Amino acid sequence: MNMTTGIAFKHCLKSSLKTYCKPMNASILASPSFCYGGQNMLNKRPIHLTSVKKATPEAVSSHRGHWVAERVMSAGLYAVIPAAFILEPSFAMDTALCTSLVIHSHWGISGVFADYMHGYPSDTGERRYPILTTMAKVLPYVLSITAFACLMNFNYNDVGLVKAICMLWKL
């Protein structure tokens, strides 16, 4: 518990206004304003004590399948990578390795783009750079499709991904 939280609790308990302080969350307690009769002592406005909204079951279930698929794919790479090197001259294993690596990379890049490429809202509430939001949705697909096409072309018309890695290790 930090000093601001301790002072807020001490002030509330001393003034015997426990009923106004019980639903407080950390953001309210961390602010320099203290609880006094349900009002902010600095500007005398009421403190809005709200709880965190919980996700609806529909929203949770729509993301649960994607989350599980990401974890299964990540765990599956532990089996696909060694199997591709054990069954070295196999076109099927090269294809499985390329597919799983591209899907795994696509999900990672999509997450990074979604988190960091967005036009920050301006003072009016509109996005400053709406093209960034569009690019964040389209660019991962372009990169993933291009990477998959190049890897499959390399597997079909050349030695294959695993054989090429083995040839690099022999250098």
Side-chain angles (χ1 to χ4, degrees), residues 38 40 45 56 86 91 104-105 117 133 135 141 151 156:
N40 183 329
R45 286 188 291 177
T56 62
I86 292 169
F91 178 76
H104 181 75
S105 300
M117 283 185 66
T133 306
M135 284 176 53
Y141 287 100
L151 286 172
Y156 188 73

Side-chain angles (χ1 to χ4, degrees), residues 99-159:
T99 304
S100 58
L101 286 175
V102 169
I103 290 172
H104 181 75
S105 300
H106 173 76
W107 285 335
I109 290 172
S110 294
V112 170
F113 283 4
D115 289 344
Y116 296 108
M117 283 185 66
H118 48 78
Y120 290 99
S122 63
D123 297 334
T124 62
E126 295 180 11
R127 298 257 178 219
R128 289 186 186 157
Y129 310 106
I131 190 71
L132 288 178
T133 306
T134 305
M135 284 176 53
K137 292 177 184 175
V138 173
L139 197 56
Y141 287 100
V142 170
L143 292 173
S144 298
I145 291 169
T146 304
F148 185 70
C150 291
L151 286 172
M152 291 309 297
N153 184 33
F154 186 72
N155 280 343
Y156 188 73
N157 295 323
D158 209 339
V159 294

Side-chain angles (χ1 to χ4, degrees), residues 17-129:
L17 296 171
K18 297 176 189 174
T19 57
Y20 291 108
C21 298
K22 66 181 176 186
M24 294 177 83
N25 60 22
S27 64
I28 293 171
L29 293 176
S31 68
S33 60
F34 304 122
C35 173
Y36 182 73
Q39 291 185 346
N40 183 329
M41 285 178 52
L42 299 178
N43 57 13
K44 301 292 184 197
R45 286 188 291 177
I47 297 173
H48 299 286
L49 305 174
T50 60
S51 62
V52 176
K53 290 184 179 180
K54 294 185 178 181
T56 62
E58 296 83 21
V60 171
S61 65
S62 69
H63 295 288
R64 184 178 296 143
H66 181 71
W67 186 86
V68 170
E70 284 180 343
R71 298 314 174 265
V72 168
M73 179 63 71
S74 297
L77 283 172
Y78 285 117
V80 171
I81 292 171
F85 284 96
I86 292 169
L87 306 170
E88 188 179 320
S90 172
F91 178 76
M93 286 309 297
D94 277 348
T95 303
L97 180 64
C98 290
T99 304
S100 58
L101 286 175
V102 169
I103 290 172
H104 181 75
S105 300
H106 173 76
W107 285 335
I109 290 172
S110 294
V112 170
F113 283 4
D115 289 344
Y116 296 108
M117 283 185 66
H118 48 78
Y120 290 99
S122 63
D123 297 334
T124 62
E126 295 180 11
R127 298 257 178 219
R128 289 186 186 157
Y129 310 106

